[in-house]
Amino acid sequence: MTIHIYQARLLHYLTEENLVEREKSTNANDSNTRDAKMTVVDKNAVLLPVIAGVNVYPEYIAEGALVVDDVSGRVLDYGSKKVIMAQYASSSAQEGKARVQIHDYQDRLIMPGFIDTHVHYPQIDMIAAFGEQLLDWLNNYTFVTEANFGDPKVAHDTSKFFLNQLLANGTTSALVFSTSHPESVEAFFEESTCLNTRMITGNVLMDQNAPEHLCVPTEQGIRDTQNIIDKWHERGRQHVAITPRFAITSTPKQLQMAGELYRSYDTVYLQTHLAENLAEIAFVRELYPNHKGYLDVYHDLGLLGRRTTLAHGIYLETPEYEVLRDTGTQIAHCPTSNLFLGSGLFDLSKTLSYTGVSIATDVGAGTSLSMLTTLSEAYKVQQLQSKPLSAHQGLYQITLGNAQSLLLDDKIGNFMPNKEADFVVIDMGATELLARRMTQTKSLDEQLFVLMMLGDDRVIEETIIAGVSRYQKASAV
């Protein structure tokens, strides 16, 4: 066993409960263990919480240190560098204890790993496809690409490439769409297991209104999902999501069977799409004329619940927001995709006033796997509605907030002791423009906003998964 100490600027987000727990731990150990000069919990920051009624605050430590156990892959402690070094690396602290390895990143920023709550891994091969809106885009590009994923070699090669691209962008966990081929799911989970990343996926259920070679008979698709749950759900850091593509490509019977399967488990996820595009909504009305609307189809057939994430949700009426609230169903906001496909503008603050909202890339309709680039686009979407997105709101959402939305905040999302050590090392001056711009900032808030607007994969220097370095930027020393 080796204890790793990462010296750096630390930023993460804490709930009120985390703060109480942290204070109790600090007081129990040593009344002087918190260096007030270095640690700032900003209770004046106004953050809209993903979980209603749960207050969230940024904690920033200018000269910090994060302590990780490489055997368990968990966080042991964090705090000011001076205090941590005295507790873990001094000669008295080291007597008869595990070896300590110190990583000096004092001019870098360390944050919890980013979490992406809606992304299609097979679509990495058709990202940035020109000129269509949703339905034509699916038919002309997406379905053509996904047809290849019955080939295990294609699925493995793409999974490996995709996962490594996530790491290069600082993303350590994701809720992922595969294809209708079980082989695509097997390959993804196998590659994720090799990296020990915490991932969620499932076979895509489609039995109508899609190319015949991608449609799987109703019962067979559900059997495939059941087999994947039996083999992969909660095996290591892997989770399964029941995954009907959307109401258009599933018959009522398939959606009903998916809902029945979902309700038979307490910990399995469900993911699909909702109200992304006006033509899509009109088509759903044609297919389901006896329902009150798009969301009502899912509600009636048992697909809503606290472990359900619906991507997009741009065009919703007040009664639909109320159903989301009452069922605990989550929305994944995909700003880059919404702009690229011309789908519409998502109202983040309004949706958060009803239910949890996560932020996601939606590649390949989105044009980047960078969660920072995604936040830049989210800012623009909200700015167009005169509701500008703060850096703290955005960075909270892609870390602890997305973990809360996925009910994984007991495992990931911040640096609380005993959480899994998934984190990223960020170079705030990774480009000449960033470095120059940072010299003009006068506060942490300004620096973080510049990072959110100008940052991308180039700022990610290292990505650590469960205490193990899985990505290092080629130019990093």
Side-chain angles (χ1 to χ4, degrees), residues 58-216:
E59 181 177 40
Y60 173 67
I61 308 177
E63 295 181 18
L66 179 67
V67 187
V68 174
D69 167 15
D70 69 352
V71 173
S72 68
R74 295 180 180 272
V75 174
L76 292 178
D77 205 352
Y78 75 91
S80 78
K81 179 181 71 172
K82 183 173 78 172
V83 171
I84 290 295
M85 295 300 285
Q87 285 184 331
Y88 292 91
S90 66
S91 55
S92 59
Q94 273 304 97
E95 229 173 275
K97 293 190 178 176
R99 184 171 76 92
V100 170
Q101 184 174 347
I102 297 169
H103 306 262
D104 186 359
Y105 284 119
Q106 291 183 64
D107 60 343
R108 302 296 193 251
L109 177 71
I110 287 182
M111 289 189 65
F114 304 148
I115 302 164
D116 191 343
T117 59
H118 180 70
V119 59
H120 297 251
Y121 96 79
Q123 293 180 18
I124 195 71
D125 288 333
M126 44 75 63
I127 189 172
F130 173 75
E132 307 286 3
Q133 291 208 343
L134 176 63
L135 298 182
D136 288 335
W137 179 85
L138 284 170
N139 288 317
N140 295 335
Y141 300 118
T142 302
F143 293 150
V144 174
T145 300
E146 291 189 2
N148 300 317
F149 281 77
D151 181 341
K153 184 179 186 308
V154 171
H156 273 281
D157 288 349
T158 309
S159 295
K160 184 180 293 186
F161 177 80
F162 172 84
L163 286 162
N164 284 325
Q165 286 291 299
L166 288 187
L167 298 179
N169 282 280
T171 298
T172 54
S173 290
L175 175 58
V176 180
F177 267 62
S178 296
T179 72
S180 55
H181 311 94
E183 295 88 348
S184 72
V185 182
E186 288 284 330
F188 185 85
F189 277 140
E190 287 171 8
E191 296 297 339
S192 177
T193 297
C194 289
L195 293 167
N196 199 25
T197 44
R198 186 172 287 284
M199 293 287 161
I200 312 168
T201 194
N203 59 304
V204 176
L205 298 171
M206 295 194 295
D207 63 353
Q208 69 171 7
N209 294 322
E212 187 176 348
H213 56 273
L214 285 177
C215 287
V216 176

Side-chain angles (χ1 to χ4, degrees), residues 418-437:
N418 206 40
K419 285 199 179 180
E420 296 162 353
D422 290 353
F423 59 94
V424 290
V425 179
I426 297 170
D427 181 358
M428 302 275 277
T431 68
E432 290 185 7
L433 175 60
L434 266 172
R436 184 181 180 92
R437 181 65 181 86

